[in-house]
Amino acid sequence: MQASTYAVKGGIGFGVQKRPTLLKGFGEFGRVSLGFQMTDRTACCGLRLGSIAMEAELTGARLGATFRSSAKPRSVKAQASGDLENAASTVPQGKSSGTVLPYVGVACLGAILFGYHLGVVNGALEYLAKDLGIAENTVLQGKCRWVVSTLLAGATVGSFTGGALADKFGRTRTFQLDAIPLTIGAFLCATAQSVQAMIIGRLLAGIGIGVTSAIVPLYISEISPTEIRGALGSVNQLFICIGILAALVAGLPLAGNPIWWRTMFGIAIIPSILLALGMSFSPESPRWLFQQGKISEAEKSIRTLFGKERVAEVMLDLTTAGQGSAEPEAGWFDLFSSRYWKIVSVGVALFFFQQLAGINAVVYYSTSVFRSAGIASDVAASALVGAANVFGTAVASSLMDKQGRRSLLITSFGGMAASMLLLSLSFTWKALAPYSGTLAVLGTVLYVLSFSLGAGPVPALLLPEIFASRIRAKAVSLSLGMHWISNFVIGLYFLSVVNKFGISSVYLGFSTICLLAVLYIAGNVVETKGRSLEEIERALNPTI
């Protein structure tokens, strides 16, 4: 009864009142076809100490929607314009009186765990290797790398399963289930008496952060009011950076207490338990509840998150987005269908673009670059990079709903291209030799700062925005899964490429990739700021 009531209201509203101004805000949509092409990848950032640089990468996760003209540009353009006009909500959006911030904060415990588990092994690896007898045994030394890389393997598995779990059990229940491998993994690492136990613990923790990487941005995007969704979505990346910094700080007592590494791993148990407890009090995503036919529960969730005065507005959006579609939830093979693949491929490509933009390389070589400038402290070098990362992400959060996702991506990749060029020249241009150390430090900090302004936080925010509700959870999981796979592969072969071509040539290649990303984003990525998820869905998926 309630759903049909909203549907009637929606029918009357859309028949009488349209918003032509929506076309101005969605100008790019009107110019593009409904065939899409993807070429992006998730945002990643990281802090690295010593030789374990690849693991401290942040992903945060990140992506744009790309749309290319089809063989019939005129008819498609007209169709897209009509769909966008019809996509406008007839209920004016006001300020939310709900209480969304506490629940975003609970979800961000998952982001902190994400960053913490990525960074905790950096300072602890040398000490745990000695404690477990790895350092003295050349046979076991090969397993030391597995302590690092097993987390990435587990994260790949977790990211692919996170979407299916979120669709089946809901977002909040999936968080609670995810706390199980996170807690057990941290406990096994903290109490490990053998390298095998440590590897198992890292694998479980990896599965946990893989699930987290998929459902944190998904949940935040679905519970956030439209007018602040960009700012709240970018908070995910900010807390990942904070998690890595927390791991760095947690390692400071190691010099005086070699057994402290066990405490470092054990600390992760606390936020894992708090995440499970917090989600027991957090509202479920109203969009998931609506898809399950739980209308009264969806309304209750909306009242909590957005305020009672916006229940009709949000329910109207949900109903209109689902009108004419009695389809079941999408399966994995649906993501590869002609209906969805071109837009799903956007996520996969953005993650790939971001991975090839060089974040791992900068993080990996930051310590040696800083030492060449006379900064001998690993902690100081990592702290400077981390501070630039956190600062840039905080700035991006304040600009996300003002400047928009697309402009931040262009600015970010443009700054990364310039920084990479500066780094490359500082290694090879003889005229700059007297200033090479200073320029290298400047290039590194500017690169990380540029990355954190857009390439880091934006893709993970855009993913849930551009995917239709029917495929959202699984499509986000697929995109993040491809990120973890590319992360693992590039981490495996990166040093071989550097040894063959030299770091300067590799940096120059990264700069070129960043420039290509700028051109790609300028011509294809669509702006989504200020639009509800349902408006975006109706615009990009007119058959729904």
Side-chain angles (χ1 to χ4, degrees):
M1 287 294 293
Q2 289 165 305
S4 61
T5 300
Y6 288 114
V8 171
K9 290 180 182 177
I12 294 174
F14 279 90
V16 174
Q17 188 180 18
K18 296 181 180 179
R19 288 187 188 173
T21 56
L22 178 64
L23 290 174
K24 182 178 179 181
F26 269 88
E28 284 106 347
F29 283 124
R31 296 198 303 268
V32 297
S33 79
L34 300 175
F36 316 123
Q37 188 172 359
M38 144 168 155
T39 324
D40 296 292
R41 184 231 139 199
T42 25
C44 235
C45 76
L47 301 176
R48 218 49 204 157
L49 290 180
S51 62
I52 318 299
M54 295 308 171
E55 174 153 341
E57 183 193 12
L58 275 181
T59 53
R62 324 139 184 116
L63 172 63
T66 49
F67 310 101
R68 297 259 185 203
S69 299
S70 67
K72 299 180 180 180
R74 293 182 180 176
S75 61
V76 173
K77 180 176 179 179
Q79 183 181 1
S81 299
D83 291 330
L84 284 169
E85 194 172 7
N86 289 331
S89 172
T90 60
V91 184
Q93 292 183 353
K95 295 295 182 182
S96 173
S97 65
T99 53
V100 69
L101 291 180
Y103 310 115
V104 171
V106 173
C108 283
L109 287 171
I112 291 176
L113 283 164
F114 183 178
Y116 190 84
H117 278 293
L118 282 174
V120 70
V121 76
N122 294 333
L125 187 63
E126 177 184 351
Y127 298 90
L128 74 86
K130 292 180 180 178
D131 195 13
L132 299 180
I134 300 175
E136 293 80 13
N137 190 324
T138 55
V139 176
L140 291 177
Q141 283 178 6
K143 293 185 178 180
C144 194
R145 179 175 295 181
W146 282 100
V147 173
V148 177
S149 59
T150 299
L151 187 85
L152 299 179
T156 302
V157 175
S159 63
F160 278 115
T161 59
L165 291 173
D167 277 341
K168 183 174 180 62
F169 299 109
R171 289 28 170 170
T172 57
R173 182 60 60 83
T174 301
F175 273 113
Q176 292 176 308
L177 293 173
D178 188 38
I180 297 174
L182 285 170
T183 303
I184 296 176
F187 177 79
L188 288 177
C189 289
T191 59
Q193 299 299 320
S194 66
V195 67
Q196 290 81 4
M198 174 61 67
I199 289 174
I200 294 173
R202 293 287 285 172
L203 179 64
L204 289 174
I207 292 173
I209 68 168
V211 173
T212 293
S213 69
I215 61 175
V216 171
L218 175 67
Y219 179 70
I220 292 177
S221 71
E222 291 188 339
I223 68 170
S224 298
T226 298
E227 64 271 13
I228 58 172
R229 189 178 64 238
L232 294 182
S234 60
V235 165
N236 172 52
Q237 183 75 8
L238 178 62
F239 276 89
I240 293 175
C241 296
I242 291 173
I244 287 184
L245 284 177
L248 176 65
V249 173
L252 294 178
L254 279 169
N257 183 7
I259 306 301
W260 179 255
W261 69 268
R262 294 186 181 275
T263 303
M264 291 174 63
F265 283 99
I267 288 173
I269 296 175
I270 298 174
S272 300
I273 295 175
L274 291 177
L275 178 63
L277 293 175
M279 278 298 159
S280 66
F281 299 101
S282 299
E284 181 55 80
S285 162
R287 291 171 172 85
W288 182 80
L289 290 170
F290 186 86
Q291 290 169 357
Q292 303 302 308
K294 301 177 180 180
I295 306 303
S296 60
E297 293 181 44
E299 290 178 333
K300 180 181 178 181
S301 179
I302 293 168
R303 279 194 294 272
T304 300
L305 295 167
F306 306 127
K308 62 182 180 180
E309 71 278 1
R310 296 185 67 173
V311 172
E313 171 192 346
V314 177
M315 288 299 296
L316 173 60
D317 265 346
L318 292 172
T319 303
T320 306
Q323 274 183 338
S325 175
E327 299 172 289
E329 291 173 352
W332 284 105
F333 288 109
D334 291 326
L335 302 182
F336 302 95
S337 66
S338 58
R339 176 180 176 183
Y340 292 121
W341 170 243
K342 287 185 178 179
I343 193 170
V344 169
S345 63
V346 168
V348 180
L350 253 183
F351 283 104
F352 191 65
F353 248 140
Q354 188 186 35
Q355 187 70 25
L356 291 181
I359 183 63
N360 284 313
V362 170
V363 170
Y364 187 88
Y365 279 95
S366 63
T367 299
S368 60
V369 166
F370 279 40
R371 282 178 178 170
S372 69
I375 301 176
S377 172
D378 289 350
V379 175
S382 295
L384 183 58
V385 172
N389 203 354
V390 173
F391 175 75
T393 305
V395 172
S397 297
S398 66
L399 297 177
M400 199 69 68
D401 291 307
K402 297 177 182 178
Q403 301 299 319
R405 288 63 152 152
R406 183 171 175 269
S407 62
L408 285 178
L409 279 174
I410 292 175
T411 301
S412 177
F413 277 102
M416 291 160 66
S419 302
M420 275 295 181
L421 180 60
L422 181 62
L423 282 168
S424 179
L425 293 176
S426 69
F427 283 114
T428 57
W429 204 355
K430 293 182 179 180
L432 297 177
Y435 316 102
S436 60
T438 302
L439 291 176
V441 172
L442 180 63
T444 300
V445 174
L446 286 178
Y447 178 89
V448 174
L449 183 62
S450 298
F451 176 88
S452 62
L453 283 174
V458 171
L461 170 63
L462 271 174
L463 278 174
E465 289 184 329
I466 64 173
F467 293 145
S469 56
R470 180 172 179 256
I471 65 168
R472 185 172 292 138
K474 289 186 176 66
V476 169
S477 290
L478 176 65
S479 300
L480 286 164
M482 295 307 296
H483 153 69
W484 285 112
I485 291 174
S486 60
N487 186 10
F488 182 81
V489 172
I490 291 177
L492 189 63
Y493 292 106
F494 173 72
L495 287 180
S496 299
V497 175
V498 171
N499 290 334
K500 183 174 182 179
F501 298 102
I503 187 61
S504 179
S505 298
V506 172
Y507 277 174
L508 187 61
F510 286 145
S511 179
T512 303
I513 291 170
C514 290
L515 287 175
L516 292 175
V518 169
L519 296 175
Y520 177 82
I521 293 165
N524 298 284
V525 174
V526 179
E527 185 54 69
T528 58
K529 71 169 182 175
R531 306 301 168 194
S532 71
L533 297 183
E534 287 67 41
E535 288 175 345
I536 297 170
E537 178 172 344
R538 291 192 296 270
L540 301 184
N541 302 274
T543 58
I544 293 177

